[in-house]
Amino acid sequence: MQRTMKKHNDFQTRLIHAPRKAPQFIETVQPPLFRASTIIFKSTSHLFDRHWTDDYDYSYGTHGTPTTFTLGDNIAQIEGGLHCLLAPSGLSAINVVNSAFLSTNDEVWVPDNIYGPNLEHLNHLQNQYGVIVKVYNPIDASSFQPTEKSKLLWLEAAGSVTLEFPDLKNLVKKAKKHGVLTALDNTWGAGLAFNAFNFSDEHLSVDLTVHALTKYPSGGGDILMGSIVTRDDKLHHRLFRTHAILGIAVSGDDAAQVQRSLAHMSLRYEQQSENAQTLLKWLKDQSQFAQVLHPSDETAPGHQYLQEICTNGQSAGLVSVIFKPDYDITAVRRFCDALELFKLGFSWGGPVSLIMLYDLKMMRKLENTHLQQGLLVRFCIGLEDPQDLIQDIENALKQL
Ligand SMILES: *Cc1c(COP(=O)(O)O)cnc(C)c1O
């Protein structure tokens, strides 16, 4: 290539139409990054011959680029699916699913421990469009009672605050029997703790998963993204259409960052899972807690269902504690504020350990006999040394 080639007179034009193009023959460790709103068609025949459902017919940034499709293929692979759509946050991925499948008078069933903002979106659909929201107890499949109106069943395994593992087998079986679509928020399992598209000897599968890539796939606590994964072509096309008409798209830069982190995602997940076990053991010996919640614990609600499905012993790095009722909000806030390594913030899956404080009374619709009364603090285990994290909690407990 001739660098000194001066085809255009004006330097401004030359800045825009630079002669040096990316070569096709160099290979790099990470795939090349495409940033695009406009994608340039080679000719009018390329413009007219393209087909909107074809990944390889690049037409416009919202439709996707090689960067976003590469990430999507990898996420689908991790989760055991075939198709993936990306969204700018986990919540927007959830909203695409709700918008694609729910209309007036349709029933949607949600677990009582549902990710809060999903319920808020569904309440919005109920108020504005007459969708009917029903709540079930995730550890009691008999509380899910589908009717002809039931269209969608949301699942979370485990719930992300109180960490009950649902009776996934029986809930999915019942949904299939009644023709109810099953959607799993797979952020906790991340495609690593179990395969949502084949999770028992009976080859049970959910219809689709949603994943907050913000958590483990990003792994940095600095990027927002979500995915919707399916195995079924028809289902994918229905979601694809909703995704397209809503203008849901992600930035190439963000997709490349998540792609870069996928290489070590399973190592981080495994380490955070192990560190959570160390913390769990220690937390259970402390006298200030009425209950320590982690689905791998034998006394945990739904523990038997986790055992059926999560056979590699790994789980997300989340542990919650419920303080004994003698500790009021002022005391628990003193504890939270005294932590130094654990930072106060939403989300999880990043390098920095986080806590969040919850008042369960405000969050539940059903009676939950398996949960003690008291304030709940969720620990999200980062990648610090677990002994340092324990020391941090030990020091802060003195402030109670
Ligand atoms: C964080 C989270 C989401 C939403 O992801 P965002 O990218 O923060 O919108 C959805 N579901 C669960 C279980 C989550 O933890």
Side-chain angles (χ1 to χ4, degrees), residues 88-92 94 115 156 160 185 187-188 212-215 224-226 347-348 378:
S89 67
L91 182 57
S92 63
I94 288 171
Y115 175 67
E156 286 185 41
S160 62
D185 182 329
T187 308
W188 184 92
L213 307 183
T214 307
K215 311 289 165 56
L224 292 159
M225 204 176 290
S347 201
W348 35 290
R378 181 182 71 179

Side-chain angles (χ1 to χ4, degrees), residues 14 21 49 52-53 63 67 99 106 110 119 129 136 172 174-175 202 237 329 341 366 396:
R14 288 202 305 274
K21 289 253 157 53
D49 293 347
W52 66 277
T53 58
H63 178 80
T67 302
S99 307
D106 286 347
V110 301
L119 183 59
Y129 306 106
Y136 70 92
V172 167
K174 200 165 182 180
E202 298 152 88
H237 282 135
I329 182 71
L341 291 178
L366 305 179

Side-chain angles (χ1 to χ4, degrees), residues 79-104:
E79 300 211 5
L82 287 177
H83 309 287
C84 177
L85 295 166
L86 297 175
S89 67
L91 182 57
S92 63
I94 288 171
N95 296 351
V96 168
V97 173
N98 288 335
S99 307
F101 299 113
L102 296 172
S103 38
T104 306

Side-chain angles (χ1 to χ4, degrees), residues 175-217:
K176 288 208 186 300
K177 202 172 136 199
H178 290 85
V180 180
L181 197 73
T182 49
L184 171 74
D185 182 329
N186 203 18
T187 308
W188 184 92
L192 299 172
F194 61 95
N195 182 349
F197 292 96
N198 184 8
F199 61 79
S200 73
D201 0 326
E202 298 152 88
H203 301 292
L204 284 171
S205 167
V206 298
D207 293 305
L208 66 95
T209 63
V210 158
H211 189 167
L213 307 183
T214 307
K215 311 289 165 56
Y216 290 106

